[in-house]
Amino acid sequence: MYKRILVPVDGTERAAAALGSALGLAKLGGGTIVGVHVAGESPLLATGDIGGPFYDAWRGEADRLGREALDYVVRRATEAGVPCETVLAPPGPPWEGIVAAARAHGCDVIVMASHGRHGMAARLLGSETQRVLIHCDIPVLVVR
C-alpha cells in the first residue's frame, strides 16, 4: 500500500475530492498525506516586475491562499486521523512544483484532481495533470 501520498491542492472542490480519495487510501494503508500548494507563475513575470511592489503584493496573496488551502488539508487529515505534512512550494509551473515535492518528500503516489478542461480551453491552457503524468515516474491517481 502507499505510505506517502502527495496531494496537490488549490482550494477548489475538485482538489477537495482528490484529498478525500487520498485520505481514504492513507487510512487503508496507514499512510501519510503530504499536501502541496504551488502558486503558479506570476503574471508579472512578463513585465519584468520581479521584486517590485506589484510582484510582492501578488506573492503575498498567493502565499496567503496557499496557506489557506494547506490548512484545509491539515483540518481534513486531523479529522480523519491521518498523519499529515504540508509544503508551500515556490511559484512556478504547477506541474514542476508537484513533481519536485513528490520526489523531495519521498512520495510513492500522487493523488490529484483533473479540472476536466476540454476543447479549446484544454489546448490553450494545457493540463497540469497531463504534464505531471508525462514528466513523473511516480504513480498518479487522477480523481474526476
Side-chain angles (χ1 to χ4, degrees):
M1 226 23 168
Y2 300 115
K3 296 299 180 188
R4 296 191 54 80
I5 304 167
L6 186 90
V7 184
V9 293
D10 60 4
T12 63
E13 288 183 30
R14 288 185 187 267
L19 175 60
S21 295
L23 288 167
L25 277 176
K27 283 187 83 143
L28 283 173
T32 297
I33 294 293
V34 179
V36 63
H37 177 82
V38 184
E41 294 180 282
S42 166
L44 299 170
L45 283 174
T47 67
D49 191 38
I50 299 301
F54 295 114
Y55 177 81
D56 293 344
W58 173 84
R59 179 69 189 263
E61 180 66 5
D63 285 352
R64 183 188 69 76
L65 292 172
R67 283 190 297 277
E68 284 180 6
L70 293 172
D71 288 347
Y72 177 74
V73 172
V74 171
R75 281 194 307 276
R76 293 271 313 268
T78 300
E79 290 168 2
V82 172
C84 176
E85 300 169 15
T86 60
V87 178
L88 184 59
W95 72 267
E96 286 182 5
I98 292 165
V99 171
R103 289 180 178 147
H105 293 272
C107 296
D108 46 11
V109 69
I110 299 170
V111 177
M112 65 187 297
S114 170
H115 285 279
R117 291 185 185 103
H118 294 23
M120 188 58 72
R123 281 188 216 97
L124 290 174
L125 299 173
S127 166
E128 297 305 323
T129 304
Q130 182 67 28
R131 289 181 180 118
V132 169
L133 288 166
I134 290 169
H135 295 284
C136 191
D137 56 355
I138 298 168
V140 179
L141 172 63
V142 179
V143 177
R144 296 227 33 200

